[in-house]
Amino acid sequence: MANARTTGDFLDIPTLTRILSQELYAEVSTTGSNIEQLASRIATEVDRICHKSGRIQTSGRVRSWQLSLARHRLQKCLNYYQLGSRRGRVDLHSTLGSMVYRHIAPSRLQLGFQARYSLVEDFLQGFYTESLKAFRRENALPEDYQPRTRLELAEYMAFTEQYAKRRISLPNGHSQQLVVLRAQRFGQRQPLEMSIDIEQALESPKGEEAEAHNRSPLAHQLRERMVADAADAPSEAVLRDRVIAELMQYLDAQGQTDCVNYLTLKLQDLSAPEIDDVLGLSARERDYLQQRFKYHVEKFTLSQNWKLVHQWLGADIDQNLGLSTQHWQRFLSQLSSDQQQLLTLKQAQATDQDIIKVLKCTPKQLQKRWGQLLELARQTRNQN
């Protein structure tokens, strides 16, 4: 840190690059210039952010911010590096898909879960191309540059996630994430007849990348979109607020106060380093909290709140739990006679008390059986 700028506040780019390179060498198996190039690009971008932000410059902790932001971006790359090419693509596609799901088609189309997600796949293919062009442009790379090594692919996927989440200022004084704005524009171009074409397309194979596109769990969509700054229609906004309120109550009842604090900060659109700073967390502690939060959100989606959650996601029981005709038939074929009877009663809008009497079970057993049925529907929904 001795090579800081003459202001005495900022680490210079070579110093920050050297720090990041040393940390990268300790984590990855590759050697050569890739590590230095990646470290240099992260250092340059963080330097630009810190010089542009008046809040950081007046914080009195500029170097701390530089290192926190740089290590956060470095960790994103390492996360994708550790996942590998295939799993990394699935994870990135799931993250971006959950961000744009509600914005990908205008409300006049009245699309269900599967139809919307088919549009999401088409949209994201174009967005990946846009992101690659932006990656080349912002890093002064050749127009024909393609990430090929495992580390290069990890860097590109981390950039794409960050690029998608960039906040764009709007004329009304608000801001929105870049990928959401792109998805809304994409959705406005969809003709009214598109819903028929999409439903037909759902019956045919989608190619070798189908697995990567179709493995976005319902709970993952919920926890990602929960914290999005959604410009929903009034009725959708009410549903979203209800889901958030119910989730808050659920976490409180489970004694997960730190998860409530984490969700509150995410809803304020704070970055990971800012959340760490507010909650006093190390990177390891934050990762543990995120995993615990994920676990409880998944439990929440299968609890007594299932109907509210599925209604918000367009996958309610009167919508065949978000399954296409083909997947619905596959789902039904997997059910036992007891599960079929339970589903029939739920479709008939029987009360839990009536269902308990018919099935001769306890309330806890009913909740467990229905949770298993919803999980089976989710697995069927995410199959090729």
Side-chain angles (χ1 to χ4, degrees), residues 141-152:
L141 294 168
E143 292 186 2
D144 61 349
Y145 169 82
Q146 294 285 343
R148 301 190 185 284
T149 68
R150 182 174 177 179
L151 188 58
E152 288 173 344

Side-chain angles (χ1 to χ4, degrees), residues 19 33 36 50 365:
I19 293 172
S33 61
E36 284 80 6
C50 289
Q365 289 173 332

Side-chain angles (χ1 to χ4, degrees), residues 19-221:
I19 293 172
L20 296 177
S21 295
Q22 291 171 351
E23 296 183 5
L24 264 173
Y25 275 117
E27 296 288 342
V28 303
S29 58
T30 186
T31 58
S33 61
N34 278 349
I35 286 181
E36 284 80 6
Q37 290 171 355
L38 171 55
S40 177
R41 284 195 280 264
I42 292 176
T44 300
E45 174 64 9
V46 168
D47 184 77
R48 183 191 68 79
I49 292 171
C50 289
H51 276 81
K52 187 177 179 181
S53 172
R55 182 162 62 95
I56 290 177
Q57 293 186 46
T58 58
S59 67
R61 300 187 299 116
V62 172
R63 294 188 182 193
S64 176
W65 272 105
Q66 280 184 291
L67 288 170
S68 294
L69 289 172
R71 284 172 173 151
H72 175 65
R73 289 174 180 250
L74 185 65
Q75 189 58 50
K76 277 289 184 183
C77 292
L78 289 174
N79 288 344
Y80 281 112
Y81 179 84
Q82 290 160 0
L83 286 172
S85 172
R86 183 177 180 81
R87 288 179 57 203
R89 287 198 302 269
V90 171
D91 192 80
L92 176 63
H93 195 87
S94 178
T95 297
L96 299 187
S98 63
M99 291 171 65
V100 303
Y101 174 82
R102 292 202 70 83
H103 308 279
I104 204 65
S107 57
R108 60 187 173 84
L109 291 186
Q110 298 292 309
L111 299 182
F113 176 87
Q114 284 288 338
R116 279 181 180 269
Y117 221 84
S118 183
L119 275 183
V120 168
E121 294 173 13
D122 292 340
F123 163 74
L124 286 180
Q125 293 311 306
F127 186 79
Y128 294 142
T129 301
E130 176 189 341
S131 173
L132 181 56
K133 290 179 180 178
F135 181 74
R136 293 167 180 159
R137 182 178 63 253
E138 295 184 13
N139 293 293
L141 294 168
E143 292 186 2
D144 61 349
Y145 169 82
Q146 294 285 343
R148 301 190 185 284
T149 68
R150 182 174 177 179
L151 188 58
E152 288 173 344
L153 285 167
E155 181 187 14
Y156 164 66
M157 286 189 283
F159 173 87
T160 299
E161 182 181 339
Q162 194 73 28
Y163 180 70
K165 293 178 178 179
R166 287 182 184 178
R167 308 296 302 190
I168 305 300
S169 298
L170 301 175
N172 57 10
H174 299 295
S175 65
Q176 184 56 278
Q177 292 169 317
L178 175 65
V179 73
V180 171
L181 292 176
R182 294 286 191 271
Q184 289 171 338
R185 185 180 304 170
F186 176 89
Q188 290 168 0
R189 298 198 300 266
Q190 303 309 315
L192 195 57
E193 296 79 9
M194 180 64 72
S195 56
I196 299 175
D197 297 334
I198 291 171
E199 296 296 344
Q200 292 173 344
L202 288 172
E203 306 302 325
S204 59
K206 298 182 178 65
E208 63 182 7
E209 295 299 320
E211 180 181 359
H213 294 164
N214 286 323
R215 291 177 56 191
S216 179
L218 183 65
H220 187 86
Q221 295 171 37

